[in-house]
Structure formats: C-alpha cells, structure tokens
Amino acid sequence: MQVFGAGSNYFLYYVSQIIVLWNCDKPLPAKHRWPATSVPVIVIEGENKVMSSRFLPYETIVTDAVLSLDEDTVLTTTEVDFAFTVWQSFPERIVGYPARSHFWDSNKERWGYTSKWTNDYSMVLTGAAIYHRYYHYLYTNYLPTSLKNMVDQLANCEDILMNFLVSAVTKLPPIKVTQKKQYKETMMGQSSRASRWADPDHFAQRQTCMNKFASWFGAMPLVHSQMRLDPVLFKDQVSILRKKYRDIERL
C-alpha cells in the first residue's frame, strides 16, 4: 500500500512508500523540515495544480492499494491498518472513513447531496480512503474532459466523481469502516477546511456536481449501503488486551 497525498509521519506495517502531491503555490519545504519516515517519501510537484491531478496514474504508484489522504486528515496508524485489511477483502471498492449520501429531492426534481449522519451512505470521500490504483487510470482516461474541467474549475467534487466512477464500474456501494466521530470535528477545527465546509457556495457546488455527473452517466450509479465494518470484538465486553485494534476502541 502507498500513502498518497500526505506528508505525515506514518509508521505502518503495510506502507510501501509515501507520495506527496505538492499542489499549492507555496515552495517546497527544505529537506530537513520533512519528518523522518521508515519508508521512502516521494514528492510530486503538480504541474497544473488542479484537483484532477490527484487522480493521475503516476508511475511512482507501484502497489495496487492507494491510501488517499487530504493534507489535513488525521488518522491513527491503527485506523489505517484496519482499513487496509478490510480493503484486501474488497479490492474493487472504495474503503474508508468519511461517508456521505445522495437522495432524490422530489420538490426540486433533482439529486441532492447530504453530509448528515444517517442510517445509510452511498459515498466514502477520498480524503481518507483506500482504493485500487486502476481507478486513477479510469479517472484520467475514461471520464470526459468536460467533467474533469468542471472539477478543476470549481476546485471541488473530485471525491464525488471518483465515487460515481467506482460505483458505475462495480455496481456496488463503497465500504465504511469503524465510525470515526472525531473526523468531522477534527476537520471543522482546521481553519482552511472549516471555511470550505461552512461555505454555502461550496455545498451548492456539490449539489450541482451530483446532477451534472448523473446526467453524463445516464443514471445515478451510486448505491446506498447500511453496512459498516468494525474489528471483531469492537466494543465487546472483554479485556482490551484481547483486541487486535484496541486503539480504535478509544477513538
């Protein structure tokens, strides 16, 4: 597995290398400022600095599994390891943490997007998810330029488009792993991300993206799911010492 998109200091059993996509206007930090890691760190400077560059089929990605992380995502190594073990059983799907859903708004006669915590979901955002590297190839070479240009112009919705693509291929929903209640709280605590989440234009753009994407695919490919996978013994009344992913219990 390769960590893609984050410069955090991950000491993980399954990680092959860390790839950082430097997609901002600020200059790269000096080498001595990067954290020490037990695996190679490869930095790619985005040429066009657009959202779709996140899903280019970079030759440096050599493992089948890609762990995609936003720059401000906070995950423990235990959470990442567990998500990867789940992905190994479902390598054709997106497996991860932040879930979202779609719905049909009968009043407006259009598809809607929601981030509310409900009993089902149809998307797992790529800000903290694992998927097969083949989807980078499909995103780049199968999807029309018009949709990718829309994503790049808005600087938004690339995660939604990837979910549309994967569900269109598999006819299956993504897989959410153990509930991470602090994910949204942590993200809302980050000033740059919090301003985006609170921006009504940002949310309205995602609604527009949903309908534009559905129109191109010819139907709504997203599939709802009520399944969440937790570690065996999660929250069971047994000694914490008997649990493999004991740190997840404390989240």
Side-chain angles (χ1 to χ4, degrees), residues 3 14 42 82 113 122 129-130 143 147 185 191 209 214:
V3 180
Y14 299 111
I42 299 172
F82 175 64
Y113 169 93
S122 57
I130 300 173
L143 293 176
L147 295 189
E185 296 166 1
S191 58
C209 288

PDB file of all heavy atoms in Angstrom, residues 3 14 42 82 113 122 129-130 143 147 185 191 209 214:
ATOM      1  N   VAL A   3       0.811   5.463   0.662  1.00  0.00           N
ATOM      2  CA  VAL A   3       0.098   6.631   1.160  1.00  0.00           C
ATOM      3  C   VAL A   3       0.261   7.729   0.138  1.00  0.00           C
ATOM      4  O   VAL A   3       1.381   8.104  -0.215  1.00  0.00           O
ATOM      5  CB  VAL A   3       0.660   7.076   2.526  1.00  0.00           C
ATOM      6  CG1 VAL A   3      -0.085   8.300   3.025  1.00  0.00           C
ATOM      7  CG2 VAL A   3       0.568   5.946   3.542  1.00  0.00           C
ATOM      8  N   TYR A  14       1.999  -1.922   6.673  1.00  0.00           N
ATOM      9  CA  TYR A  14       1.648  -2.218   5.283  1.00  0.00           C
ATOM     10  C   TYR A  14       2.135  -1.176   4.277  1.00  0.00           C
ATOM     11  O   TYR A  14       1.947  -1.356   3.082  1.00  0.00           O
ATOM     12  CB  TYR A  14       0.125  -2.339   5.152  1.00  0.00           C
ATOM     13  CG  TYR A  14      -0.478  -3.443   5.981  1.00  0.00           C
ATOM     14  CD1 TYR A  14      -1.283  -3.148   7.079  1.00  0.00           C
ATOM     15  CD2 TYR A  14      -0.259  -4.784   5.671  1.00  0.00           C
ATOM     16  CE1 TYR A  14      -1.847  -4.157   7.844  1.00  0.00           C
ATOM     17  CE2 TYR A  14      -0.816  -5.796   6.433  1.00  0.00           C
ATOM     18  CZ  TYR A  14      -1.607  -5.479   7.522  1.00  0.00           C
ATOM     19  OH  TYR A  14      -2.166  -6.468   8.272  1.00  0.00           O
ATOM     20  N   ILE A  42       8.249  10.294  -1.635  1.00  0.00           N
ATOM     21  CA  ILE A  42       8.394  10.824  -2.988  1.00  0.00           C
ATOM     22  C   ILE A  42       7.502  12.053  -3.121  1.00  0.00           C
ATOM     23  O   ILE A  42       6.304  11.991  -2.819  1.00  0.00           O
ATOM     24  CB  ILE A  42       8.006   9.772  -4.048  1.00  0.00           C
ATOM     25  CG1 ILE A  42       8.913   8.547  -3.934  1.00  0.00           C
ATOM     26  CG2 ILE A  42       8.071  10.365  -5.450  1.00  0.00           C
ATOM     27  CD1 ILE A  42       8.481   7.382  -4.809  1.00  0.00           C
ATOM     28  N   PHE A  82      -6.308  -1.107   9.871  1.00  0.00           N
ATOM     29  CA  PHE A  82      -7.572  -1.833   9.827  1.00  0.00           C
ATOM     30  C   PHE A  82      -8.284  -1.614   8.493  1.00  0.00           C
ATOM     31  O   PHE A  82      -8.806  -2.555   7.890  1.00  0.00           O
ATOM     32  CB  PHE A  82      -8.481  -1.416  10.985  1.00  0.00           C
ATOM     33  CG  PHE A  82      -9.845  -2.043  10.913  1.00  0.00           C
ATOM     34  CD1 PHE A  82      -9.992  -3.426  11.020  1.00  0.00           C
ATOM     35  CD2 PHE A  82     -10.982  -1.273  10.705  1.00  0.00           C
ATOM     36  CE1 PHE A  82     -11.249  -4.019  10.936  1.00  0.00           C
ATOM     37  CE2 PHE A  82     -12.232  -1.860  10.617  1.00  0.00           C
ATOM     38  CZ  PHE A  82     -12.369  -3.234  10.733  1.00  0.00           C
ATOM     39  N   TYR A 113     -27.333  16.136  -2.211  1.00  0.00           N
ATOM     40  CA  TYR A 113     -26.132  15.654  -1.528  1.00  0.00           C
ATOM     41  C   TYR A 113     -26.249  16.013  -0.058  1.00  0.00           C
ATOM     42  O   TYR A 113     -26.650  17.140   0.275  1.00  0.00           O
ATOM     43  CB  TYR A 113     -24.909  16.314  -2.145  1.00  0.00           C
ATOM     44  CG  TYR A 113     -23.600  16.125  -1.400  1.00  0.00           C
ATOM     45  CD1 TYR A 113     -22.751  15.075  -1.727  1.00  0.00           C
ATOM     46  CD2 TYR A 113     -23.204  17.009  -0.401  1.00  0.00           C
ATOM     47  CE1 TYR A 113     -21.539  14.903  -1.064  1.00  0.00           C
ATOM     48  CE2 TYR A 113     -21.999  16.850   0.257  1.00  0.00           C
ATOM     49  CZ  TYR A 113     -21.175  15.801  -0.068  1.00  0.00           C
ATOM     50  OH  TYR A 113     -19.981  15.641   0.597  1.00  0.00           O
ATOM     51  N   SER A 122     -23.765   6.444   0.624  1.00  0.00           N
ATOM     52  CA  SER A 122     -23.531   5.962  -0.736  1.00  0.00           C
ATOM     53  C   SER A 122     -22.170   6.397  -1.273  1.00  0.00           C
ATOM     54  O   SER A 122     -21.811   6.037  -2.390  1.00  0.00           O
ATOM     55  CB  SER A 122     -24.630   6.476  -1.678  1.00  0.00           C
ATOM     56  OG  SER A 122     -24.692   7.898  -1.647  1.00  0.00           O
ATOM     57  N   ALA A 129      -9.386   7.426   2.402  1.00  0.00           N
ATOM     58  CA  ALA A 129      -9.917   6.187   1.829  1.00  0.00           C
ATOM     59  C   ALA A 129      -8.834   5.409   1.091  1.00  0.00           C
ATOM     60  O   ALA A 129      -7.814   5.962   0.680  1.00  0.00           O
ATOM     61  CB  ALA A 129     -11.064   6.507   0.871  1.00  0.00           C
ATOM     62  N   ILE A 130      -9.092   4.125   0.928  1.00  0.00           N
ATOM     63  CA  ILE A 130      -8.204   3.228   0.186  1.00  0.00           C
ATOM     64  C   ILE A 130      -8.961   2.692  -1.022  1.00  0.00           C
ATOM     65  O   ILE A 130     -10.142   2.328  -0.919  1.00  0.00           O
ATOM     66  CB  ILE A 130      -7.721   2.056   1.068  1.00  0.00           C
ATOM     67  CG1 ILE A 130      -6.952   2.585   2.283  1.00  0.00           C
ATOM     68  CG2 ILE A 130      -6.837   1.088   0.274  1.00  0.00           C
ATOM     69  CD1 ILE A 130      -6.577   1.507   3.283  1.00  0.00           C
ATOM     70  N   LEU A 143     -13.104   9.103 -18.061  1.00  0.00           N
ATOM     71  CA  LEU A 143     -14.031  10.211 -17.830  1.00  0.00           C
ATOM     72  C   LEU A 143     -13.818  11.323 -18.855  1.00  0.00           C
ATOM     73  O   LEU A 143     -12.694  11.590 -19.266  1.00  0.00           O
ATOM     74  CB  LEU A 143     -13.852  10.755 -16.411  1.00  0.00           C
ATOM     75  CG  LEU A 143     -14.247   9.811 -15.280  1.00  0.00           C
ATOM     76  CD1 LEU A 143     -13.925  10.444 -13.931  1.00  0.00           C
ATOM     77  CD2 LEU A 143     -15.725   9.450 -15.357  1.00  0.00           C
ATOM     78  N   LEU A 147     -16.193  16.829 -17.522  1.00  0.00           N
ATOM     79  CA  LEU A 147     -16.394  16.610 -16.092  1.00  0.00           C
ATOM     80  C   LEU A 147     -15.132  16.962 -15.304  1.00  0.00           C
ATOM     81  O   LEU A 147     -15.208  17.571 -14.226  1.00  0.00           O
ATOM     82  CB  LEU A 147     -16.802  15.165 -15.826  1.00  0.00           C
ATOM     83  CG  LEU A 147     -18.143  14.700 -16.392  1.00  0.00           C
ATOM     84  CD1 LEU A 147     -18.496  13.319 -15.858  1.00  0.00           C
ATOM     85  CD2 LEU A 147     -19.258  15.704 -16.090  1.00  0.00           C
ATOM     86  N   GLU A 185     -15.369  16.556  13.443  1.00  0.00           N
ATOM     87  CA  GLU A 185     -14.994  17.535  14.453  1.00  0.00           C
ATOM     88  C   GLU A 185     -13.574  18.031  14.231  1.00  0.00           C
ATOM     89  O   GLU A 185     -13.284  19.222  14.357  1.00  0.00           O
ATOM     90  CB  GLU A 185     -15.128  16.911  15.840  1.00  0.00           C
ATOM     91  CG  GLU A 185     -16.568  16.529  16.184  1.00  0.00           C
ATOM     92  CD  GLU A 185     -16.642  15.614  17.389  1.00  0.00           C
ATOM     93  OE1 GLU A 185     -15.571  15.312  17.950  1.00  0.00           O
ATOM     94  OE2 GLU A 185     -17.751  15.210  17.759  1.00  0.00           O
ATOM     95  N   SER A 191      -8.858  25.546  10.202  1.00  0.00           N
ATOM     96  CA  SER A 191      -9.412  26.814   9.716  1.00  0.00           C
ATOM     97  C   SER A 191      -9.705  26.808   8.218  1.00  0.00           C
ATOM     98  O   SER A 191     -10.764  27.221   7.785  1.00  0.00           O
ATOM     99  CB  SER A 191      -8.459  27.962  10.054  1.00  0.00           C
ATOM    100  OG  SER A 191      -7.174  27.723   9.479  1.00  0.00           O
ATOM    101  N   CYS A 209     -22.723  19.369  -8.929  1.00  0.00           N
ATOM    102  CA  CYS A 209     -21.873  18.285  -9.433  1.00  0.00           C
ATOM    103  C   CYS A 209     -22.638  16.974  -9.493  1.00  0.00           C
ATOM    104  O   CYS A 209     -22.541  16.230 -10.486  1.00  0.00           O
ATOM    105  CB  CYS A 209     -20.647  18.114  -8.532  1.00  0.00           C
ATOM    106  SG  CYS A 209     -19.409  19.424  -8.672  1.00  0.00           S
ATOM    107  N   ALA A 214     -24.540  12.701 -12.803  1.00  0.00           N
ATOM    108  CA  ALA A 214     -25.609  11.729 -13.079  1.00  0.00           C
ATOM    109  C   ALA A 214     -26.087  11.846 -14.517  1.00  0.00           C
ATOM    110  O   ALA A 214     -26.407  10.846 -15.167  1.00  0.00           O
ATOM    111  CB  ALA A 214     -26.768  11.937 -12.105  1.00  0.00           C
TER     112      ALA A 214
END
